[in-house]
Amino acid sequence: MIERSRNSVIIIGGGASGVILAAHLLRSNDPGLRVTLVERRESFGKGMAYSAALPDHLLNVAATNMSAYPDDPPHYWRWLQEKQLVQTDTGPVYTSRSTYGRYLQDILERLAEDERTTGRLRLIRQECTGVVTTPVGVEARLADGTSLVGHIAVLATGHDQEPAPDQNFAVRMGSADDTQLDPDAPVLILGTGLSMVDAWLTLEHRGHRGEITAVSRRGLLPWPHQKGNPIKLDSADIPLGTELSYFVDWFHKLVRETEKAGGNWRDVVDGLRPFNQRIWQNWPSTAKRRFLNTPRLGGISTAIACHHKFTPA
């Protein structure tokens, strides 16, 4: 059976990226627009990153910078206040990942209610097994044997969700898909970044008794966040579309100028956040390859983490 609709966008993956994309698409006034969100999990919005139930699993970005709508920066903060989860006079707040998952679910629930009579939004709890092109667009094939045909398919599947091939070697920690371990088993964590912290918190919460060892090339731990004052930037201020070496030089010069004015590198990073996606999209392929193949770029990788802004580093 094939279901057809006009002007349709099929979003495969109902986690953060899928929900936020649907929310932005539905801002359109086009009455013929159809957005279909396909998610194989029982719930939409959380995905792997925000299904973590442990309250100690925190976002690595302050709540004031986590709005789903770039043109409405306080959106998430207002939602937290409406739910009485924060105080209006508090400083930087880093909420739990599960709280952010509730925020995304709430956005989707409100969208579903707003579009209930229009039929512009459809939620399907099914696994997509494949996508093929057709003479008029795309066909998304579902595990139950049905198909969805639309003009565009968007893959918003996020991180690899397949189980580790050998649970005695590689396991997953910090989400609803955590791997259960023998509480006395020794654990080796490769890397000492924020994901290591999430993994350790999970094991500690379970009462893990085995020795836990974290290894990294430099043996450094994540720095604590400090309250900053993001610099004001316009897209015209940013050298979009340049080679990586030119962009890095510009970035370092901007940091030096900001420090001379009494700020610090965090202010530059936070000022660049709204432009992360645009910077990445405008880089030539040579710049993207150099960026991905260079282990360390003097802090710039923190600023242009385009595809990982909503997950632990």
Side-chain angles (χ1 to χ4, degrees):
M1 174 179 140
I2 295 181
E3 300 174 356
R4 300 178 182 273
S5 60
R6 300 179 56 193
N7 302 330
S8 62
V9 178
I10 305 169
I11 304 174
I12 301 166
S17 297
V19 169
I20 292 174
L21 175 59
H24 283 262
L25 288 173
L26 291 168
R27 283 180 152 187
S28 167
N29 294 323
D30 180 6
L33 176 66
R34 296 293 182 269
V35 177
T36 302
L37 198 57
V38 182
E39 170 59 44
R40 68 179 182 178
R41 292 170 177 266
E42 292 185 1
S43 62
F44 289 83
K46 293 186 176 182
M48 180 185 293
Y50 306 119
S51 63
L54 191 62
D56 289 336
H57 286 159
L58 304 180
L59 298 175
N60 62 342
V61 177
T64 50
N65 293 325
M66 286 296 291
S67 170
Y69 302 98
D71 58 348
D72 185 10
H75 189 268
Y76 181 46
W77 186 253
R78 289 199 308 272
W79 182 86
L80 290 170
Q81 292 176 331
E82 291 172 4
K83 301 298 181 182
Q84 298 183 341
L85 298 174
V86 295
Q87 301 297 323
T88 56
D89 58 349
T90 57
V93 173
Y94 299 88
T95 64
S96 68
R97 286 196 268 153
S98 59
T99 298
Y100 196 74
R102 287 172 53 195
Y103 165 67
L104 296 174
Q105 286 183 314
D106 192 61
I107 287 176
L108 189 61
E109 289 171 2
R110 295 185 186 188
L111 286 172
E113 179 61 27
D114 292 342
E115 302 294 342
R116 184 173 56 85
T117 58
T118 68
R120 296 201 308 162
L121 175 63
R122 187 177 184 188
L123 307 179
I124 295 182
R125 289 182 174 85
Q126 271 290 328
E127 180 177 6
C128 179
T129 59
V131 179
V132 296
T133 59
T134 70
V136 295
V138 293
E139 177 186 347
R141 296 172 179 172
L142 307 181
D144 65 355
T146 64
S147 293
L148 301 167
V149 174
H151 293 103
I152 298 173
V154 178
L155 299 181
T157 52
H159 291 279
D160 181 13
Q161 298 184 10
E162 295 301 319
D166 183 352
Q167 292 191 353
N168 293 319
F169 174 72
V171 300
R172 177 180 289 126
M173 288 288 159
S175 79
D177 297 325
D178 286 352
T179 305
Q180 298 298 318
L181 294 179
D182 179 344
D184 294 307
V187 176
L188 175 65
I189 303 176
L190 301 181
T192 57
L194 295 176
S195 294
M196 177 277 294
V197 175
D198 282 346
W200 186 90
L201 288 170
T202 298
L203 292 168
E204 192 272 340
H205 180 72
R206 292 181 185 172
H208 192 82
R209 297 184 294 268
E211 183 179 66
I212 303 172
T213 305
V215 178
S216 73
R217 288 178 296 174
R218 299 179 179 85
L220 299 176
L221 294 174
W223 289 6
H225 282 276
Q226 296 182 12
K227 184 176 181 179
N229 184 28
I231 63 174
K232 302 298 182 182
L233 290 172
D234 186 85
S235 58
D237 300 323
I238 303 171
L240 301 173
T242 63
E243 285 297 336
L244 188 60
S245 57
Y246 183 91
F247 188 92
V248 171
D249 288 343
W250 170 83
F251 176 80
H252 287 161
K253 181 181 178 181
L254 184 59
V255 170
R256 290 193 295 269
E257 292 174 349
T258 302
E259 289 174 342
K260 288 181 180 179
N264 58 57
W265 62 268
R266 295 176 181 84
D267 300 332
V268 177
V269 170
D270 288 339
L272 280 174
R273 289 189 191 278
F275 305 97
N276 287 350
Q277 190 75 356
R278 195 179 307 175
I279 291 170
W280 175 264
Q281 291 174 341
N282 280 275
W283 270 348
S285 57
T286 51
K288 292 178 180 178
R289 283 197 297 269
R290 284 194 61 193
F291 177 82
L292 294 173
N293 292 329
T294 304
R296 189 175 180 86
L297 285 171
I300 196 172
S301 59
T302 304
I304 318 297
C306 301
H307 300 294
H308 303 283
K309 258 305 140 215
F310 292 91
T311 58

